[in-house]
Amino acid sequence: MIADDSIRITIAHPHLSQPLGCDGNAYVLASRAERSGFSVSVTRGQGTGMLPEADIYLISGVPTGDQVELTELLRSDDSFVERVRSGSVVLAVNSGFEVLGETFETIEGTTHRGLGLVDFAIHRDSFVEGPVVTIPGGTLNLPAMSGFEVHSGRCVLGDGVEPLARVEIGVGNGDDLRSDGVVSGHVVGTYMHGPILARNPELADILLKWALGRSFEPIEKGIAGELRRQRIEEDRADPTGWGGREYGSVPLGSRIRRLLHRC
Amino acid sequence: MHPDILTDLAEDMDVALVTGTNGKSTTARFLASALASKGPVAFNSGGSNMENGAVVALASSSKALTAVLEVDEAFLDRIVYATRPSLIVLLNLSREATRGVVLTDLTESWRTLFSEITWPCEFVANADDPIIVSTVPEGAVTHWVAEPIAWMADSVICPVCHTTLNRSDAHWSCPGCGLARPTPAWYLQGDAVRGPGATIPLSLPMPGQWPRSNALYAIAAATALSVEPTTAAEALSGIADVEGRYRIYRYNNRDVRLIMVKNAASWDAALAIASTEIPIVLAQEAFGVKDMVSMWEIDVRRLADTTVVATGQRCLDVAARLEADGIAYTLVEDPLDAIRSVPRGPVHVIANYTAFLDLRKALSAS
């Protein structure tokens, strides 16, 4: 894509984003790129104008009430759509992932036209919140990944469209394949938070490779590898995501959930 | 619980509510103390800030004619309708991941709620938070307070029309719909509180900026409820800690200040204490799948010149966050070991909710 080994990352419309730490994907990309010897700029595409041109666009989840607004902002931004069609990299999470497809259903039950960058359709179903562990392999040959999901979407992939991964723990796209997310060209969509790149540096390196247009020798996984091992082990032992923590004799998770359900 | 219990209990009381994302407990505690000169005050201390807590507070203070209730943001509507307050203190609203409350939905619900208040009710509200300002109905008697917010990510765009806000020094305004910063009547100036026609010296045992801001709201609110501002300020000068917050624990020759963080804005404010002299222990325990996301929302680079220790069940998450910004740290899994790992003297412990509960108990027992 680019000749001078510098990578421009744009965080798309962060003012709309859910507070689920997706900016962290930019920090991880920048950190791994810099430590691999590349220069990086991270720009926050604030406000309601056009996004700064980028080699990697990061699209976070937004509250479902703002999903249509996000879609229209991205659709009206010709440079964004054109750059993605001509190979810029996209990592889109949760409701930010959902708007990349052909259609998405909102929480009120109305169906809207998506950006049409990838062939899939989103429907609504029960709300899920919990950890995700994926099965190694898939199109990108990724290891078992760790993250968490918070969503009510179910993704029906079009014929021949590849998911990002299949899940061992979690709901993901909610299909018979037990898949999560999508990979199409240089576009990656997923329901996985974490932020996903913080626990899964191999995926960060793939996005950087696409942005650079060439391979490079990846740096060590660092603490991320240990963190992922710990979380996968913990989630297999206690798939509630509360790490087995107890409060008195009651698991803390159920105690807090009881409180929150009264909201 | 019968839905009318709270209504019945509050019927003959003058009720003041304190709500917002951060600062509720301290502000409510300050206000309750400031109002004590008028007589017994019912108060939900201990952070029981939903309906049950309100009922217990009112029921257990039968002689009180005044009540101060700290109220959870998401429960404000029920408690407002039940207690018909004469004053509502609105501190700030910002993003919070752990409970899944959507900020835009919450803001909208407050706007509707306040527009439906039919009885005399005044507001003490933050002029520097555009979200707060957008919820206060036009024409409502409002005592505006200046509390500059450091966490700006939730006030980039107008909360009403989504146009990018204009900012110039302290002032902000929306070029789209005209929403703008009201002129504050109350503000801090050096060591004094400035209010309408009054300059009141402020002397608080609690360190740092937050208690001073909380005191400002409490004094403004007490004044609105007919307490002399100097009397209110004097009442605050004896409060050394609120629920273990701000308290300094002596542990193993270390002076441990325990600071709780719950969301991006409180993380951001907590990291403002970073210095080269005093080490910081980041203690994070498991608290559900979203337990560590706030740390990824904030800028940790200000820790660059501080001695940092990552600890607790989520210490690897802390380490990954620090590593992404090249911040040096040491990893000590057990929080008490982590405190003992830094040199004798003062140490700041920044703890999430579960780590705060654990450490408050452990340090109090030591």
Side-chain angles (χ1 to χ4, degrees), chain A residues 167-210:
Chain A
V167 298
E168 176 194 325
I169 295 173
V171 172
N173 293 339
D175 54 7
D176 292 341
L177 272 177
R178 289 180 56 75
S179 70
D180 174 74
V182 67
V183 182
S184 173
H186 288 174
V187 176
V188 171
T190 180
Y191 280 114
M192 288 171 73
H193 293 276
I196 182 171
L197 300 184
R199 299 190 200 170
N200 306 290
E202 298 86 351
L203 181 57
D205 290 345
I206 289 171
L207 303 182
L208 293 173
K209 186 179 81 177
W210 288 347

Side-chain angles (χ1 to χ4, degrees), chain A residues 199 227 230-231 234-235 238 241-245, chain B residues 282-292 295 310-321 331 333 352 354-355:
Chain A
R199 299 190 200 170
L227 169 61
Q230 181 203 41
R231 280 301 177 96
E234 208 177 81
D235 294 340
D238 173 23
W242 285 81
R245 224 192 123 84
Chain B
L282 300 171
Q284 306 291 305
E285 298 293 342
F287 189 54
V289 290
K290 295 181 283 189
D291 52 11
M292 284 304 298
M295 205 179 171
T311 189
Q313 191 176 349
R314 291 285 170 259
C315 62
L316 293 176
D317 290 80
V318 175
R321 175 68 192 95
L331 205 57
E333 205 173 321
N352 70 349
T354 35

Side-chain angles (χ1 to χ4, degrees), chain B residues 198-216:
Chain B
T199 301
I200 307 110
L202 188 62
S203 167
L204 296 175
M206 288 193 229
Q209 181 57 36
W210 308 324
R212 289 157 47 79
S213 296
N214 299 150
L216 179 63

Side-chain angles (χ1 to χ4, degrees), chain A residues 14-25 27-28 31 35 44 46-48 63 66 69 129-131 148-150 194-195 198-199 221-224 226-227 230-231 234 240-245 247 252 256 259-260 262-263, chain B residues 50 52 72 74-75 78 95-99 101-102 104-105 153-154 156-157 162-164 285-299 313-314 316-317 319-321 323-326 329 331 353-355 357-358:
Chain A
H15 59 280
L16 292 178
S17 69
Q18 290 169 312
L20 291 174
C22 279
D23 287 8
N25 289 322
Y27 308 148
V28 173
S31 165
R35 286 189 285 153
R44 297 170 71 83
Q46 297 279 31
T48 43
D66 292 332
E69 181 177 350
E129 178 175 324
F148 69 88
E149 59 184 344
V150 181
R199 299 190 200 170
K221 287 196 285 287
I223 204 82
E226 280 179 60
L227 169 61
Q230 181 203 41
R231 280 301 177 96
E234 208 177 81
T240 64
W242 285 81
R245 224 192 123 84
Y247 187 94
L252 187 66
I256 301 284
L259 280 173
L260 298 190
R262 302 210 309 257
C263 293
Chain B
M50 301 174 193
N52 289 349
D72 181 287
F75 282 75
R78 302 185 205 180
R95 53 183 54 204
E96 195 154 52
T98 43
R99 308 187 328 152
V101 175
V102 176
T104 44
D105 295 350
D154 292 312
V156 172
I157 59 169
H162 282 198
T163 307
T164 305
E285 298 293 342
F287 189 54
V289 290
K290 295 181 283 189
D291 52 11
M292 284 304 298
V293 296
S294 293
M295 205 179 171
W296 287 100
E297 299 264 312
I298 53 144
D299 188 346
Q313 191 176 349
R314 291 285 170 259
L316 293 176
D317 290 80
R321 175 68 192 95
E323 198 173 81
D325 271 321
Y329 61 88
L331 205 57
Y353 178 66
T354 35
L357 294 184
D358 289 355

Side-chain angles (χ1 to χ4, degrees), chain B residues 3 16 34 41 52-53 73 76 87 93 104 107 117 134 136 142 177 182 185 198 209-210 242 245 299 318 358 360 363:
Chain B
V41 178
N52 289 349
E73 308 88 276
L76 186 62
L87 186 78
L93 275 184
T104 44
T107 307
I117 290 179
S134 79
V136 178
T142 308
C177 68
Q209 181 57 36
W210 308 324
V242 176
R245 300 171 207 199
D299 188 346
V318 175
D358 289 355
R360 186 176 62 181
L363 294 171

Side-chain angles (χ1 to χ4, degrees), chain A residues 39-156:
Chain A
S39 68
V40 185
S41 64
V42 176
T43 311
R44 297 170 71 83
Q46 297 279 31
T48 43
M50 308 271 267
L51 292 175
E53 284 197 355
D55 306 301
I56 302 177
Y57 292 98
L58 300 176
I59 307 174
S60 307
V62 300
T64 43
D66 292 332
Q67 215 172 1
V68 174
E69 181 177 350
L70 174 69
T71 314
E72 293 315 315
L73 278 171
L74 293 173
R75 197 199 310 284
S76 62
D77 190 338
D78 294 337
S79 79
F80 166 75
V81 175
E82 274 169 32
R83 287 191 71 86
V84 175
R85 289 199 193 283
S86 58
S88 278
V89 179
V90 174
L91 173 64
V93 180
N94 206 350
S95 56
F97 146 53
E98 293 179 340
V99 307
L100 302 181
E102 297 296 332
T103 60
F104 63 91
E105 185 183 353
T106 62
I107 209 154
E108 292 82 20
T110 53
T111 299
H112 294 261
R113 192 163 63 93
L115 294 173
L117 293 168
V118 188
D119 181 12
F120 65 76
I122 300 293
H123 306 284
R124 292 285 150 211
D125 204 315
S126 55
F127 179 75
V128 293
E129 178 175 324
V132 177
V133 176
T134 69
I135 295 166
T139 311
L140 302 180
N141 196 27
L142 290 159
M145 294 191 288
S146 162
F148 69 88
E149 59 184 344
V150 181
H151 65 100
S152 60
R154 300 295 184 271
C155 177
V156 180

